[in-house]
Amino acid sequence: MEFRYLGRSGLKVSEIAYGNWLTHGSQVEEDAARASVHAALDEGITTFDTADAYAGTRAEDVLGRALEGQRREGLEIFTKVYWPTGPGPNDRGLSRKHIMESLHGSLRRLRTDYVDLYQAHRFDHETPLEETMRAFDDLVRQGKVLYVGVSEWRAEEIERALKIADEMGFDRIVSNQPQYSMLWRVIEAEVVPLCEREGIGQIVWSPIAQGVLTGKYLPGRPLPEGSRATDDKGGADMIKRYLNDDLLTRVQELKPVAADLGLTMAQLAVAWVLQNPNVSSAIVGASRPEQVRDNVKAAGVKLDADVLKRIDEILADVVVRDPDKTRSPRTRP
């Protein structure tokens, strides 16, 4: 495993992080989830990402049990706050009340006294940003949170938060967690340039585009049984935008590129996002330990300029680049 700094902070994270969205507590039985976590540990992954809202808080519980007994100082545990965790009007968003209560719930479920990184899972248009930033800073000062980050924030939202932190002496944001892959590059135009200037690292999710970049979805063919595209627990909604024959045909054309490099398609996809120097870590999920073992082989892989150009030529206009695709709900869900 290779390690990178999280932005300009002093925290090092594994290039490949293990994430449990859409798996722990929902798609995958706990024994399989524990086996996948232990495979990640065996492969040198030290960074684990989750969120309070995943599987209705169950994902944090599963991860906490799976990591129990590990040396806490040797792990980086990340979680998030924003999406609903209960029925009440204050069980969501980035108010001081919800941030404080949600963090304490996450600590109980994760069986830890602190999290290494606490992330605002979306931008909350209904809460003054000063309130959100002060609540995060208070948790840092209490020692319950070591670093603060965001997820799926637009460049102007990150910039506003940095300005408030500088003016009020709060801890600055050190990370952003966006969707990023060969097919989804909406952060490149605005978010990445800002983050490079300000010392913010990207912890990217869905580097394999929900499994599409494995090449297992074939144009003109039925969807594979048991795949993400046939899942009725949320996975199918995310992947459907990629399931058109033009895009799937182009993905098939990436197979010789991967083969020439001695990589699987998944390894090529994960290695591709890690070529961006602003990316600190790529999150991979798994329903089976062998998926973890396959994906970690992307760590440390270097792709030369000719390979990157060839990938761009193959994918061409199926790549999504519009920065306006990054948006948070105007009202709390």
Side-chain angles (χ1 to χ4, degrees):
M1 181 55 59
E2 302 284 331
F3 294 85
R4 299 184 179 191
Y5 286 104
L6 184 55
R8 258 198 311 262
S9 78
L11 180 67
K12 284 191 172 183
V13 295
S14 50
E15 278 192 348
I16 312 293
Y18 182 93
N20 71 350
W21 173 60
L22 286 180
T23 51
H24 294 187
S26 55
Q27 288 182 349
V28 178
E29 296 298 327
E30 183 151 352
D31 285 349
R34 185 182 297 110
S36 295
V37 168
H38 289 174
L41 292 164
D42 290 344
E43 294 292 339
I45 290 176
T46 60
T47 305
F48 293 84
D49 180 82
T50 187
D52 56 1
Y54 292 169
T57 74
R58 294 187 301 277
E60 286 185 327
D61 257 326
V62 173
L63 183 62
R65 286 192 290 269
L67 290 175
E68 207 161 16
Q70 299 295 319
R71 179 175 174 270
R72 179 63 183 88
E73 295 82 357
L75 303 173
E76 303 87 49
I77 298 176
F78 300 170
T79 193
K80 313 180 196 72
V81 55
Y82 171 82
W83 295 106
T85 53
N90 289 309
D91 292 324
R92 62 207 68 220
L94 297 177
S95 68
R96 181 180 185 84
K97 177 177 172 64
H98 184 53
I99 287 172
M100 295 293 182
E101 292 173 348
S102 186
L103 187 275
H104 291 143
S106 291
L107 295 180
R108 286 194 302 273
R109 291 186 290 270
L110 290 166
R111 293 160 171 75
T112 183
D113 296 329
Y114 67 95
V115 293
D116 297 270
L117 180 70
Y118 201 33
Q119 302 159 97
H121 211 160
R122 290 296 185 276
F123 186 83
D124 185 355
H125 293 278
E126 296 190 47
T127 300
L129 190 49
E130 291 84 356
E131 177 180 340
T132 296
M133 296 299 293
R134 185 179 290 279
F136 277 128
D137 189 68
D138 284 347
L139 289 172
V140 171
R141 291 173 188 272
Q142 291 168 18
K144 296 173 182 176
V145 168
L146 302 189
Y147 298 90
V148 174
V150 299
S151 176
E152 291 291 342
W153 280 30
R154 296 165 66 92
E156 61 266 29
E157 294 162 351
I158 296 172
E159 198 162 32
R160 281 176 56 198
L162 293 171
K163 185 172 186 293
I164 289 169
D166 289 346
E167 289 175 349
M168 303 185 76
F170 296 158
D171 252 44
R172 295 179 113 234
I173 293 165
V174 300
S175 66
N176 177 47
Q177 187 174 131
Q179 182 179 179
Y180 187 51
S181 71
M182 293 181 193
L183 297 173
W184 191 265
R185 309 188 194 181
V186 303
I187 61 170
E188 290 183 343
E190 297 176 1
V191 169
V192 167
L194 169 70
C195 289
E196 286 177 333
R197 288 197 309 272
E198 298 292 345
I200 295 170
Q202 310 299 316
I203 308 163
V204 304
W205 61 275
S206 198
I208 309 173
Q210 303 296 302
V212 169
L213 288 170
T214 64
K216 67 182 176 183
Y217 297 98
L218 302 175
R221 299 286 295 277
L223 299 174
E225 286 298 322
S227 67
R228 179 69 54 84
T230 61
D231 167 50
D232 61 358
K233 296 174 181 171
D237 290 339
M238 289 295 300
I239 200 173
K240 62 186 178 183
R241 68 180 138 199
Y242 297 126
L243 300 179
N244 66 78
D245 283 355
D246 180 29
L247 186 149
L248 295 179
T249 298
R250 291 170 187 260
V251 170
Q252 293 301 307
E253 293 172 12
L254 294 173
K255 286 184 172 179
V257 179
D260 288 348
L261 296 167
L263 302 173
T264 66
M265 287 280 281
Q267 290 162 4
L268 177 66
V270 175
W272 184 90
V273 301
L274 291 171
Q275 304 312 296
N276 187 325
N278 192 228
V279 171
S280 297
S281 186
I283 299 172
V284 301
S287 54
R288 303 184 307 278
E290 52 267 30
Q291 292 173 323
V292 180
R293 297 188 185 105
D294 180 61
N295 290 333
V296 296
K297 292 174 183 172
V301 170
K302 305 301 180 190
L303 303 179
D304 64 33
D306 288 343
V307 170
L308 297 175
K309 182 181 177 184
R310 189 176 170 195
I311 290 169
D312 286 347
E313 289 171 349
I314 290 169
L315 296 177
D317 56 0
V318 302
V319 174
V320 179
R321 301 179 183 274
D322 182 3
D324 284 342
K325 294 290 185 181
T326 299
R327 59 181 61 212
S328 298
R330 296 304 303 181
T331 58
R332 294 178 193 160

